[in-house]
Structure formats: C-alpha cells, structure tokens
Amino acid sequence: MSVPRIRRARSAAGVLALATAAALALPAGTAAAAGPADAPGPLLSYVVNTRADHGQVKKAEREITALGGSVVVSYDRIGVVVARSTDPQFAARLRQSRTVESVGASRTAGIVQSADEQVAEPAAVPTAAPADGSEPLWANQWDMRQIGVDEAHRTTLGSRNVVVGVLDSGIDATHEDLAANVDPALSASCINGGKADTSWQSWQPTSSDHGTHVAGTIAAAKNGKGIEGIAPNVRLAAVKVVDDGGFIYPEYAICGFVWAGEHHFQVTNNSYYIDPWLFACKNDPDQAAVLTAVRRAVEFSQRNGVLNVAAAGNENIDLAHKTTDTSSPDDTTPGTRPVDGSCLSLPTELPGVVVVTSVGVKGDKSFYSSYGLGKATVAAPGGDSRYQLPATPDANGRVLSTVRGNKYAYMQGTSMASPHATGVVALLASTHPWAGPDALRAMLRHQADEHACPASFDPSGDGAWKAVCAGDADDNGFYGAGVVSAAKAAQWWRL
C-alpha cells in the first residue's frame, strides 16, 4: 500500500501451505494436470479470468481443483475466480485451458501473517468546546475551511440515503465521531483471500489508523466532539481491503468493488494502489490478468451506480509520462524496470475513476503529490508539512482527522486528499439524488475552483521535488479541473 505509504514492520509468522492434490486426467482442451514430481512452492493467490457466465465459471473452478489448486471465491457476474496454489507452474498450466482467458499471480511473496505500523501525529483535544459552537478541533481544520465546508453546512449536512464505501483498513465503529454514521449492515472485510466476511470484528481496524482517518474526513459527525467531516449526515460502509501487513492485494480490491456494486453505494474512496506492483503492465501475463480482473470489478461497480474516487499517489510522478518503476514488487525485493503508458496504477488509472491530487493550505500542489495532464480529475487538501504551513493553533500542515480509540491525529498524502473529494461527491449525491456516476463526476469537475499551472514548481529549491505542470487553468496536470468546493456542491441550483 503506498498512498500514503504505510510503514511496514513485517515479521513473518509462517507461510501457509496447501497439499497438492493428486493429478487427474483431463479432457482435451483443458489445463494440463500437475505431475507427481512437481515440487511445491510458496502458497500464492491467483486471479483467473473467464467468460462472465455461471457455467463457464464452474468449468474454470473444476480445472483449478484438477490442477491441485483451491477456489477461494468466484464472481460469476464478472467472470473472475480467486484461487490458491503451491504449484510454481500453476498459472502456466492453467493458461493452456480454452476455458480460461487469462490467469496471473496476485502477489510475489507467499501468503504470510504480518504486522503493520501506521504512523500518525497525535492531536490534543481542547477541554472546553469553542464559544462559537463549532467543533472543539475546528480551528485546526484548515482543510475544511479551504473548500468551504462551513458554508456548505448552512445548506446541507448530507443525506442518510447516501452511502459512502471506504475501501481501506477498516473503520473504528466505536469512535465518538463515527459511531452514528457507520452502517454495520453494509460493512465487510475482504482480506480473507478476497471473500467477503460480514462479521463486525472482521472489518474493524486491527493495526492501522488509515481507514478511520479517511472516514472522519468524509463524515465525522457534527456533534460537539472533536472534528466535523464534509458530509456528516451520510452513512459510511467500512470495506476492509488492507491486511495487517499494509498490503492491498488484487483479490481484496476485487472483492471490495464487487461488494460496493452489489450494495449500490453512491461513491467509494480508494486511498491506495493495488500491491505488489506500483504499475500493472500489460506485457507481463500475471500483471495483465490482474489488470483485467480489477477492471472488470470496477466496471461492475460503475454499472451498479458507484462512482469510485482514488488517490493519485505520493511519488511525485507524472502519470502521463511514466518511465521507471523502482519500487515493485513491494512484497518481496523491488527492482528497477522501465514502464510506459500501458502500465497502469490500479485502480487510479482505470476509466471512470476520479483521480485526486493533493494541495496544501496555500492551494499549491503538495510536494509529494503525483500528477499528470489527462490523469488528474480534481485536486483537494491532502496537506504539506514542509512548504505550506497554516496559521492554526497547531500550525500543522497535515490533515487532522479521527483515529482509533476516540483519538485524533494528523496525516498527509493523496490518501487524505481523496476523501475530501469523496466527501464533496457525497454532498453532490445528497443534493442531486437522481445523479449517477457519470453525472456526479461531471458535476464534481464543474464545481471545482480553477487553479492555473505555476510558472515553475521546485518547492525545495534543489530539484528534489521538481515537477512540470502542463495544461490550461480549466484542466491541467497538477489540479485537473481545479480544487473541489464543498460550498458549491451544497448549492444545487448552481450545477
């Protein structure tokens, strides 16, 4: 997971293993069965793509088990099966089948149990509420004032009919600022191999504050406690797609998007990229299969009324002109490889996804934010602790929000920018209940405040964060159509 990068202190607790089933005789045109001399390797997860047809999916399942693999979950409506195998030749053998369109490993490391450490900067809550009736920590919420949340709340706090899916590390549903808005009936965990688990404990955060922080930005209650979110009257669905190692493997995200589509969320927030590849490249059979499977899941959600919002990334990369990836695969040993426009950050660069870049309190691009003309949809506050500091009590350039245990903390990243855009979409969906994903995306762009490219961008002065902005004021690589505006989103008559 890399948006923002979770600091992973991984301590493997052991690699799981599955016994390889005895080889079976298969009819012509099916995958070649494993031989008895095949030495088992680490347990890996695979995405298997076939025709979106119940019978075809069942046929693929039989071929998977005949090769000694196990089926974790199948999604008939998108033709994707998640499987596991310890056979190093599993994918190669299954690719011989006429039933299967593509198959690829979703990770490069064996399935392990890991520990994860999320870094956040704590914030102290005042002992007395402000005399003006605002939330106790409102004075430090420069980000909310920047996009006009206070003005928006004079008109609307959002609608209870709007559901926002937070695909992340889980939400602390006991938090005083979130408990009233988290809907347990719509929440689930997807980290059990990509199979949805609706038990309450499964989607609670275990080792990361990330999802709880994102949720607070979107919909922290206006209740006189802590902070307030952009749309404090909408409902939140916690969809856990981040495991305790900080990884978002493809099968987790596929499960999350299908869950969002099946339950007809209006919008999802996706503050991550799908591991283990920073960019999934079509010229690699494993990555190509992953790209196909994730694209199908995203398209399924879109057909079922979901607008997906995603973070642009924290690598200060021009997504429109990629050249090199030095961080993949991030679950084993990264290497340096060339990349180009056919290599996509998932789910960020898929069609129809809202891509959000980050700005600081001055409204300028955050030093770390990735960007790209034709890639960035809008910009939103994500914080900049180095070069853009606010005149607030804490003088902290990061974004303040909720974290586990009824606490509050600062974080920064396009992970924090994305939920600001998601919250604005939630307001738009509240004031325009008829609007589908395409209409909401168009309105989001229309209400944004234009921000022209700077003449130059080198905030450190030494070239460390240098970037080049291309485009016009109404659409450019740094800010897309502009910085989102909650104030305008609440004014339904303007759109």
Side-chain angles (χ1 to χ4, degrees), residues 43-48 72 81-84 90-91 95 103-111 193-194 247-254 274-277 284-287 289-291 293-294 329-331:
L43 177 65
L44 295 180
S45 183
Y46 296 83
V47 290
V48 181
V72 178
V81 180
V82 178
R84 288 179 174 179
F90 177 77
R95 288 179 187 130
V103 55
S106 68
R107 60 187 72 201
T108 61
I111 297 172
F247 293 105
I248 306 93
Y249 284 114
E251 58 268 31
Y252 305 167
I254 291 165
I274 293 174
D275 297 298
W277 304 97
D284 177 276
D286 288 322
Q287 295 167 50
V290 164
L291 200 158
V294 174
D330 62 6
D331 60 346

Side-chain angles (χ1 to χ4, degrees), residues 52-389:
D53 171 83
H54 177 73
Q56 197 76 352
V57 168
K58 287 298 180 185
K59 188 176 180 182
E61 289 180 350
R62 290 192 295 269
E63 297 194 10
I64 288 167
T65 56
L67 287 176
S70 62
V71 173
V72 178
V73 64
S74 296
Y75 297 104
D76 292 6
R77 283 180 283 182
I78 61 173
V80 174
V81 180
V82 178
R84 288 179 174 179
S85 175
T86 57
D87 179 5
Q89 297 302 313
F90 177 77
R93 289 182 170 122
L94 195 55
R95 288 179 187 130
Q96 298 177 37
S97 168
R98 289 197 294 264
T99 303
V100 172
E101 295 175 4
S102 60
V103 55
S106 68
R107 60 187 72 201
T108 61
I111 297 172
V112 299
Q113 305 261 338
S114 302
D116 166 69
E117 178 187 358
Q118 171 68 52
V119 178
E121 185 177 337
V125 180
T127 56
D132 62 4
S134 62
E135 302 297 285
L137 290 171
W138 174 255
N140 283 310
Q141 290 190 272
W142 62 266
D143 53 314
M144 297 296 170
R145 292 188 294 278
Q146 185 180 56
I147 63 173
V149 168
D150 46 347
E151 183 179 344
H153 287 177
R154 298 188 192 109
T155 303
T156 181
L157 300 178
S159 168
R160 296 303 281 179
N161 293 325
V162 172
V163 177
V164 179
V166 179
L167 277 62
D168 212 293
S169 61
I171 300 175
D172 181 356
T174 67
H175 197 290
E176 61 185 4
D177 250 343
L178 297 172
N181 290 339
V182 178
D183 191 335
L186 296 174
S187 298
S189 171
C190 286
I191 65 171
N192 184 23
K195 187 175 183 179
D197 180 351
T198 59
S199 62
W200 188 88
Q201 193 60 45
S202 73
W203 48 267
Q204 291 301 296
T206 48
S207 58
S208 172
D209 288 318
H210 195 270
T212 301
H213 196 279
V214 163
T217 296
I218 298 168
K222 194 174 175 68
N223 59 2
K225 300 175 182 178
I227 65 166
E228 64 183 83
I230 296 168
N233 201 43
V234 304
R235 288 180 290 155
L236 296 168
V239 184
K240 191 171 183 178
V241 297
V242 184
D243 66 23
D244 284 351
F247 293 105
I248 306 93
Y249 284 114
E251 58 268 31
Y252 305 167
I254 291 165
C255 168
F257 287 116
V258 171
W259 180 267
E262 289 177 338
H263 294 83
H264 304 285
F265 300 166
Q266 278 76 21
V267 57
T268 69
N269 186 81
N270 304 271
S271 290
Y272 58 87
Y273 73 75
I274 293 174
D275 297 298
W277 304 97
L278 177 60
F279 302 111
C281 296
K282 296 178 182 178
N283 62 0
D284 177 276
D286 288 322
Q287 295 167 50
V290 164
L291 200 158
T292 296
V294 174
R295 175 180 52 78
R296 289 182 181 184
V298 169
E299 289 174 348
F300 173 81
S301 71
Q302 293 166 340
R303 291 195 301 270
N304 284 275
V306 183
L307 179 62
N308 300 296
V309 180
N314 298 333
E315 295 78 25
N316 193 34
I317 289 175
D318 184 349
L319 295 173
H321 299 92
K322 311 180 192 80
T323 57
T324 307
D325 173 17
T326 61
S327 63
S328 303
D330 62 6
D331 60 346
T332 48
T333 303
T336 298
R337 60 174 182 151
V339 293
D340 57 24
S342 67
C343 300
L344 304 181
S345 176
L346 300 177
T348 299
E349 293 188 85
L350 291 175
V353 174
V354 171
V355 180
V356 187
T357 62
S358 175
V359 298
V361 68
K362 296 178 182 178
D364 298 330
K365 185 183 95 71
S366 302
F367 67 92
Y368 53 78
S369 181
S370 291
Y371 57 98
L373 181 61
K375 299 292 185 177
T377 308
V378 290
D384 187 330
S385 61
R386 295 190 184 183
Y387 309 110
Q388 301 182 60
L389 299 180

Side-chain angles (χ1 to χ4, degrees), residues 390-487:
T392 58
D394 286 355
N396 197 312
R398 300 174 179 86
V399 172
L400 178 62
S401 190
T402 48
V403 292
R404 294 172 295 162
N406 276 343
K407 296 178 181 179
Y408 301 85
Y410 289 95
M411 294 184 185
Q412 71 178 9
T414 54
S415 275
M416 284 60 253
S418 182
H420 283 83
T422 299
V424 171
V425 172
L427 290 181
L428 288 168
S430 298
T431 55
H432 300 78
W434 49 266
D438 292 341
L440 288 172
R441 190 178 193 276
M443 286 189 286
L444 182 69
R445 288 180 56 86
H446 181 69
Q447 56 78 56
D449 292 324
E450 291 184 1
H451 193 316
C453 285
S456 63
F457 186 83
D458 185 9
S460 63
D462 60 4
W465 303 102
K466 188 174 182 180
V468 177
C469 182
D472 301 320
D474 61 351
D475 188 16
N476 61 66
F478 277 14
Y479 311 105
V483 180
V484 298
S485 170

